[in-house]
Protein backbone atom coordinates (compact mmCIF):
# COMPACT_ATOMS: atom_id res chain seq x y z
CA UNK A 1 0.00 0.00 0.00
CA UNK A 2 2.74 2.46 0.95
CA UNK A 3 4.76 1.73 -2.16
CA UNK A 4 1.85 2.01 -4.55
CA UNK A 5 -0.17 4.84 -3.02
CA UNK A 6 2.50 6.87 -1.24
CA UNK A 7 1.43 10.18 -2.81
CA UNK A 8 -2.14 10.06 -1.53
CA UNK A 9 -2.69 12.30 1.47
CA UNK A 10 -4.92 9.64 3.04
CA UNK A 11 -1.91 7.31 3.18
CA UNK A 12 0.67 9.94 4.13
CA UNK A 13 -1.01 10.67 7.44
CA UNK A 14 -0.26 7.13 8.60
CA UNK A 15 3.46 7.02 7.77
CA UNK A 16 4.77 7.79 11.22
CA UNK A 17 2.22 5.54 12.90
CA UNK A 18 3.26 2.70 10.61
CA UNK A 19 6.94 3.21 11.43
CA UNK A 20 6.16 3.25 15.16
CA UNK A 21 4.17 0.03 14.83
CA UNK A 22 6.85 -1.77 12.81
CA UNK A 23 10.00 -0.92 14.76
CA UNK A 24 9.26 -3.28 17.70
CA UNK A 25 8.65 -6.09 15.21
CA UNK A 26 12.32 -5.99 14.23
CA UNK A 27 12.98 -7.93 17.44
CA UNK A 28 10.33 -10.58 16.80
CA UNK A 29 11.38 -14.22 17.21
CA UNK A 30 10.28 -15.21 13.69
CA UNK A 31 12.93 -14.32 11.06
CA UNK A 32 10.32 -14.27 8.28
CA UNK A 33 8.38 -11.53 10.05
CA UNK A 34 11.53 -9.49 10.63
CA UNK A 35 12.40 -9.79 6.94
CA UNK A 36 8.94 -8.50 5.94
CA UNK A 37 9.29 -5.59 8.34
CA UNK A 38 12.65 -4.68 6.77
CA UNK A 39 11.08 -4.79 3.31
CA UNK A 40 8.10 -2.72 4.43
CA UNK A 41 10.34 -0.09 6.05
CA UNK A 42 12.32 0.05 2.82
CA UNK A 43 9.21 0.75 0.75
CA UNK A 44 7.88 3.20 3.29
CA UNK A 45 11.14 5.15 3.50
CA UNK A 46 10.81 6.20 -0.15
CA UNK A 47 7.83 8.39 0.63
CA UNK A 48 8.67 9.58 4.15
CA UNK A 49 9.19 13.30 4.63
CA UNK A 50 12.78 14.21 5.49
CA UNK A 51 12.09 14.66 9.21
CA UNK A 52 10.36 11.28 9.47
CA UNK A 53 13.15 9.66 7.43
CA UNK A 54 15.75 11.03 9.82
CA UNK A 55 13.66 9.80 12.75
CA UNK A 56 13.53 6.33 11.23
CA UNK A 57 17.30 6.22 10.76
CA UNK A 58 17.81 7.46 14.32
CA UNK A 59 15.52 4.71 15.61
CA UNK A 60 17.40 2.07 13.62
CA UNK A 61 20.88 3.28 14.52
CA UNK A 62 20.37 3.82 18.26
CA UNK A 63 20.20 0.08 19.13
CA UNK A 64 23.34 -0.46 17.06
CA UNK A 65 25.13 2.32 18.94
CA UNK A 66 24.11 0.84 22.30
CA UNK A 67 25.40 -2.62 21.39
CA UNK A 68 23.81 -6.00 21.87
CA UNK A 69 20.76 -5.86 24.10
CA UNK A 70 20.11 -9.59 24.36
CA UNK A 71 22.80 -12.20 24.99
CA UNK A 72 23.96 -14.91 22.63
CA UNK A 73 22.61 -15.81 19.23
CA UNK A 74 19.44 -13.76 19.63
CA UNK A 75 21.45 -10.58 20.20
CA UNK A 76 23.53 -11.27 17.11
CA UNK A 77 20.35 -11.88 15.08
CA UNK A 78 18.96 -8.57 16.37
CA UNK A 79 22.12 -6.73 15.30
CA UNK A 80 22.03 -8.37 11.88
CA UNK A 81 18.36 -7.40 11.45
CA UNK A 82 19.05 -3.78 12.35
CA UNK A 83 22.00 -3.67 9.93
CA UNK A 84 19.79 -5.09 7.18
CA UNK A 85 17.06 -2.58 7.97
CA UNK A 86 19.50 0.34 7.80
CA UNK A 87 20.81 -0.97 4.47
CA UNK A 88 17.30 -1.27 3.06
CA UNK A 89 16.28 2.21 4.21
CA UNK A 90 19.48 3.83 2.92
CA UNK A 91 19.15 2.00 -0.38
CA UNK A 92 15.58 3.22 -0.83
CA UNK A 93 16.17 6.73 0.48
CA UNK A 94 19.20 7.45 -1.63
CA UNK A 95 21.32 10.44 -0.75
CA UNK A 96 19.07 11.52 2.14
CA UNK A 97 21.21 9.36 4.45
CA UNK A 98 24.40 11.31 3.74
CA UNK A 99 24.32 12.93 7.18
CA UNK A 100 24.33 9.51 8.82
CA UNK A 101 27.39 8.03 7.14
CA UNK A 102 29.60 8.43 10.21
CA UNK A 103 27.07 6.78 12.54
CA UNK A 104 26.49 3.97 10.03
CA UNK A 105 30.20 3.31 9.61
CA UNK A 106 30.68 3.23 13.40
CA UNK A 107 27.93 0.61 13.64
CA UNK A 108 29.56 -1.41 10.86
CA UNK A 109 32.98 -1.18 12.50
CA UNK A 110 31.59 -2.35 15.84
CA UNK A 111 29.59 -5.20 14.35
CA UNK A 112 32.23 -6.56 12.00
CA UNK A 113 34.54 -7.32 14.95
CA UNK A 114 32.30 -10.11 16.28
CA UNK A 115 34.19 -13.37 15.76
CA UNK A 116 32.80 -16.45 14.00
CA UNK A 117 29.71 -14.66 12.70
CA UNK A 118 29.86 -14.78 8.92
CA UNK A 119 26.22 -13.73 8.45
CA UNK A 120 26.78 -10.67 10.59
CA UNK A 121 29.89 -9.76 8.62
CA UNK A 122 27.94 -10.25 5.39
CA UNK A 123 25.28 -7.82 6.64
CA UNK A 124 28.05 -5.33 7.49
CA UNK A 125 29.55 -5.59 4.02
CA UNK A 126 26.16 -5.20 2.38
CA UNK A 127 25.47 -2.08 4.41
CA UNK A 128 28.89 -0.68 3.59
CA UNK A 129 28.26 -1.33 -0.12
CA UNK A 130 24.89 0.43 0.00
CA UNK A 131 26.37 3.48 1.75
CA UNK A 132 29.21 3.75 -0.75
CA UNK A 133 26.92 3.43 -3.76
CA UNK A 134 24.05 5.60 -2.47
CA UNK A 135 26.05 8.32 -0.68
CA UNK A 136 29.37 8.43 -2.59
CA UNK A 137 30.18 12.06 -1.76
CA UNK A 138 29.66 11.56 1.97
CA UNK A 139 31.47 8.23 2.10
Amino acid sequence: VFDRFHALSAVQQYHEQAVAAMLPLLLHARPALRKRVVTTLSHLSRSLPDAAYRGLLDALLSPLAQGQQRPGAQGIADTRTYLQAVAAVVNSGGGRAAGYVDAIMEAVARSVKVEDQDELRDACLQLWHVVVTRCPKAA
Side-chain angles (χ1 to χ4, degrees):
V1 171
F2 292 116
D3 193 33
R4 189 172 229 183
F5 302 109
H6 63 84
L8 294 176
S9 61
V11 174
Q12 288 178 348
Q13 67 183 351
Y14 296 108
H15 284 169
E16 292 181 28
Q17 291 174 349
V19 169
M22 283 184 272
L23 286 174
L25 294 175
L26 287 171
L27 298 175
H28 198 274
R30 290 186 53 220
L33 180 63
R34 291 194 314 234
K35 184 175 181 178
R36 286 188 185 257
V37 170
V38 168
T39 303
T40 304
L41 287 173
S42 170
H43 289 296
L44 181 59
S45 67
R46 294 177 190 168
S47 58
L48 284 176
D50 287 340
Y53 182 82
R54 288 190 300 270
L56 174 59
L57 276 178
D58 286 336
L60 292 173
L61 288 171
S62 66
L64 292 172
Q66 296 169 3
Q68 253 181 266
Q69 301 297 315
R70 297 194 278 187
Q74 189 60 46
I76 291 171
D78 295 346
T79 302
R80 186 175 65 243
T81 301
Y82 275 102
L83 289 169
Q84 291 168 343
V86 172
V89 168
V90 170
N91 194 26
S92 294
R96 294 196 291 170
Y100 288 88
V101 170
D102 290 337
I104 292 170
M105 288 299 119
E106 287 175 17
V108 168
R110 245 188 323 278
S111 300
V112 81
K113 293 177 183 177
V114 177
E115 294 184 19
D116 299 327
Q117 293 298 325
D118 293 336
E119 290 180 9
L120 186 60
R121 285 191 185 128
D122 183 52
C124 290
L125 291 175
Q126 287 176 5
L127 176 54
W128 180 76
H129 178 265
V130 167
V131 168
V132 169
T133 56
R134 290 296 190 183
C135 307
K137 291 181 182 178

